Amino acid sequence: MDTDDLLCLRDVIAAGSLTAVARKRGVAVSTIARRLDAIEATLKLTLVDRGRSGAQATEHGRRIVALATPLLDEADRLARAAESLRHDRRREIVVTATEAVISDVLAPAIPQLAPEIRLDLRAEAAVVSLAGREADIAIRMSQPQGASLIAKKLKPLRLGLYCSPAYLAGRAADRLVLTEERLLVYDESYGRLPELGWLGPRLLGAVACRTNSTRALLNMAVAGVGIAILPAIFAVPSGLCEVSAGITLAPRTPWIVIRADLRREPDMRKVQAWISQAFASAARRGDAPWRGGATKRGGFRASQPSA
């Protein structure tokens, strides 16, 4: 049995589409179909039901993939080891997260990483598939699901409402009436986020802008556009001041996620420990009291407008 045919079967079942797998591999859909035909002919079983709505695993298909997963994991480990030996170097560990986490949590912490570790830091808006080998480690803002994944909580991120001193224009930050202000909030690209629970019908009219970008929210706040909901780890180092307005936002808990078959690799353990340390350091920066003044003390490089 061709191991790549098994990989193809697993990818198709995970994606639910021959077209998606063909696009990812850079081959024709007919090539993927031939591989499925080959493994079904070898096993004399129907493994995937193919139709206009996509490709759905049969009971036999799910069972075969479950049995083949340990074999495929070992083959993948062997391939990575062989590649490292061929190039006489360690392989790169692919870490995916949002742009804000990559740029302002992990990138500044690179000096604390063991020098022998090679990283590929990828800023991804979409959730990538670890099971599909699209990455080795992912940082996610909600608890992941999947028997093949190992997840660990990172230090919770404190959230708050923040604005610039220029936007306040001398007003007290704890006496603002939000219905009379300009609010900058996350949209619902990732579903209804818990931190938007306070945004009831009474405040909808005050929303000036929605976005799925933390960087955009912070840069708008620094530019004096309005009051933004932000993680403290980004807002405080950028010189923003917190607006209480009687609202308490529950913290968000990030998760570090790794494929189960990689959990014992020494380099993976080092990277996981480094990510945990990076988040802890960022959280300490976010807990620092606001003192006003400069807006380039770290974090996003946004400029403070003149009042």
Side-chain angles (χ1 to χ4, degrees):
M1 189 183 304
D2 192 322
T3 303
D4 198 47
D5 288 347
L6 282 171
L7 285 169
C8 181
L9 171 65
R10 185 184 63 184
D11 290 348
V12 168
I13 288 176
S17 166
L18 275 70
T19 302
V21 176
R23 187 182 301 116
K24 176 183 174 182
R25 291 185 170 214
V27 300
V29 175
S30 58
T31 300
I32 303 300
R34 282 197 299 272
R35 287 196 172 277
L36 291 181
D37 290 341
I39 193 169
E40 287 183 333
T42 299
L43 298 177
K44 297 181 175 58
L45 293 170
T46 300
L47 305 176
V48 177
D49 288 329
R50 305 171 225 180
R52 292 185 177 181
S53 60
Q56 300 296 323
T58 65
E59 182 178 350
H60 294 316
R62 287 189 293 270
R63 179 63 174 157
I64 290 298
V65 167
L67 290 171
T69 294
L71 168 66
L72 296 176
D73 289 343
E74 288 301 322
D76 184 56
R77 195 175 356 258
L78 175 62
R80 293 197 306 270
E83 181 182 6
S84 296
L85 291 172
R86 283 197 302 272
H87 296 90
D88 192 27
R89 62 172 175 80
R90 292 174 177 263
R91 74 177 185 88
E92 291 182 335
I93 295 175
V94 179
V95 180
T96 69
T98 63
E99 171 64 33
V101 169
I102 291 293
S103 298
D104 294 275
V105 177
L106 300 186
I110 288 292
Q112 282 72 55
L113 183 65
E116 71 272 13
I117 302 293
R118 296 171 57 88
L119 287 184
D120 181 353
L121 297 179
R122 297 183 184 177
E124 302 277 1
V127 175
V128 304
S129 171
L130 295 185
R133 273 38 180 194
E134 295 178 22
D136 300 310
I137 296 176
I139 298 170
R140 297 179 180 170
M141 294 301 164
S142 59
Q143 185 173 4
Q145 304 296 325
S148 63
L149 302 177
I150 302 295
K152 176 185 176 183
K153 289 182 180 181
L154 293 167
K155 189 172 180 62
L157 303 180
R158 186 171 68 85
L159 296 170
L161 299 176
Y162 294 90
C163 67
S164 69
Y167 179 82
L168 284 176
R171 298 179 295 163
D174 59 350
R175 295 185 180 180
L176 300 183
V177 179
L178 293 184
T179 54
E180 300 173 4
E181 304 298 331
R182 293 170 58 84
L183 303 182
L184 313 170
V185 301
Y186 288 105
D187 64 20
E188 298 186 6
S189 298
Y190 305 109
R192 182 70 174 178
L193 299 176
E195 54 264 34
L196 295 181
W198 60 275
L199 193 65
R202 190 172 63 89
L203 290 174
L204 288 179
V207 174
C209 184
R210 296 177 184 269
T211 178
N212 65 351
S213 168
T214 298
R215 182 179 291 276
L217 285 174
L218 185 116
N219 283 339
M220 285 189 287
V222 170
V225 175
I227 300 172
I229 178 172
L230 286 165
I233 62 172
F234 304 133
V236 172
S238 297
L240 297 178
C241 50
E242 188 164 4
V243 175
S244 62
I247 291 174
T248 301
L249 301 177
R252 287 293 297 277
T253 300
W255 294 78
I256 181 170
V257 191
I258 183 174
R259 298 205 318 264
D261 62 298
L262 300 178
R263 66 185 182 277
R264 293 189 178 89
E265 292 192 6
D267 284 357
M268 299 296 291
R269 291 186 175 186
K270 291 179 182 178
V271 173
Q272 290 181 81
W274 169 74
I275 291 173
S276 296
Q277 181 183 6
F279 267 84
S281 298
R284 286 193 294 271
R285 294 196 299 272
D287 289 337
W290 176 76
R291 297 184 177 86
T295 62
K296 292 186 178 181
R297 294 180 294 155
F300 296 84
R301 300 298 182 183
S303 57
Q304 177 77 20
S306 57

